[in-house]
Amino acid sequence: MRRLFPVTDETAARTARQEGAEPDGAGEWSLAELAAAYAYPASDDGGPRTWLRANMVSTLDGAAQHDGRSQPISCAADMRIFGTLRALADVVLVGAETVRQEGYRPARARTEFAAAREAAGQGPAPAVAVVSGSLDLDFSLPLYTSPLVPTVVLTGADAPADRVAAACAGVQSLAGAVAQELPGSSGEMKLVVIEIDGGYFYLMAAGDNAYLAVLADVVCEPGRMGGMMRDLVVRIGAHLTSPPRRGGQAV
């Protein structure tokens, strides 16, 4: 058990630690030791492998939350492991209710893991993927508006249309923020393409405060779809312009 779970502050602190040695269970593990203990297994052929890892905490009586949140039943060691697992991952998959209850924030780049992620061919931080059937999400939160790596929202075909529209608005806001930071950019979002299982999602600027969204089948050729959307915007873009509204009235 000590190989998997760092000891708590109740354990006597280490008197010495030999660099590169196996954790001996006496005292708090370093982040490097945690990363080594939780490293993904190497494949037999040396090629890339896909791994799915689950992590949770529970009380002695089996409860996984208190007042809807897991944080109150987590200790400092739990949080260190949780942070390490996030830092090693490509994507952090989380349910919508957890996002709502825990106030989920985007993953950040951590200098302690920067070298390991670069060596593994990973970006500076993992993406967060939110699973939601209803899309009852607050797209004004930092998780959607200011992540280092764009947040992914996974939903089904039965998702409410108004929530899909809100998701599109979140994508547009994020893309606009990214465009403003890119050198040589006018600061305006022109086109966003997201590849999903079974197809592609397109979001294109179509006039002042208006955007055209298209969900295409996997057989669609992305470049051709982009061209068709641009042609459509040229023809009808002026009619799609939406003036800003205040108090329910156009201004």
Side-chain angles (χ1 to χ4, degrees):
M1 291 296 291
R2 287 187 175 180
R3 180 65 177 137
L4 297 178
F5 299 98
V7 293
T8 68
D9 55 2
E10 296 177 1
T11 305
R14 292 183 191 178
T15 57
R17 176 188 289 125
Q18 181 180 356
E19 184 176 356
E22 282 289 308
D24 58 17
E28 185 176 79
W29 290 17
S30 69
L31 291 178
E33 290 171 333
L34 282 176
Y38 286 94
Y40 292 99
S43 61
D44 296 334
D45 58 4
R49 292 287 300 276
T50 299
W51 298 95
L52 176 63
R53 169 176 276 160
N55 177 61
M56 65 173 292
V57 294
S58 69
T59 61
L60 289 176
D61 60 359
Q65 53 83 23
H66 178 71
D67 289 338
R69 303 174 63 227
S70 63
Q71 192 278 332
I73 64 173
S74 301
C75 67
D78 296 325
M79 300 308 295
R80 280 174 64 83
I81 293 175
F82 178 69
T84 300
L85 296 183
R86 282 175 63 116
L88 296 176
D90 291 308
V91 178
V92 178
L93 186 66
V94 60
E97 186 62 18
T98 300
V99 170
R100 289 188 286 265
Q101 294 293 333
E102 302 282 353
Y104 240 65
R105 299 185 64 83
R108 57 188 176 88
R110 300 180 62 180
T111 56
E112 301 91 339
F113 298 95
R117 291 187 65 87
E118 183 177 0
Q122 297 173 299
V128 175
V130 182
V131 181
S132 174
S134 67
L135 288 181
D136 183 16
L137 303 168
D138 185 354
F139 291 104
S140 67
L141 294 177
L143 178 62
Y144 307 102
T145 61
S146 57
L148 183 62
V149 180
T151 296
V152 178
V153 178
L154 307 175
T155 190
D158 296 331
D162 60 333
R163 300 303 301 175
V164 174
C168 291
V171 172
Q172 179 273 323
S173 177
L174 173 61
V178 172
Q180 293 177 10
E181 300 299 325
L182 298 179
S185 169
S186 65
E188 298 180 356
M189 187 278 281
K190 300 295 185 182
L191 173 66
V192 173
V193 181
I194 301 176
E195 182 178 1
I196 59 177
D197 287 340
Y200 301 88
F201 171 78
Y202 301 82
L203 185 66
M204 177 179 287
D208 292 338
N209 303 309
Y211 299 87
L212 176 64
V214 173
L215 184 62
D217 190 85
V218 68
V219 299
C220 173
E221 200 283 311
R224 179 172 174 77
M225 174 57 72
M228 294 173 64
M229 291 178 66
R230 289 189 181 89
D231 291 342
L232 183 60
V233 168
V234 169
R235 296 201 307 269
I236 67 172
H239 303 287
L240 297 177
T241 298
S242 175
R245 303 177 68 85
R246 293 179 184 169
Q249 301 295 322
V251 295

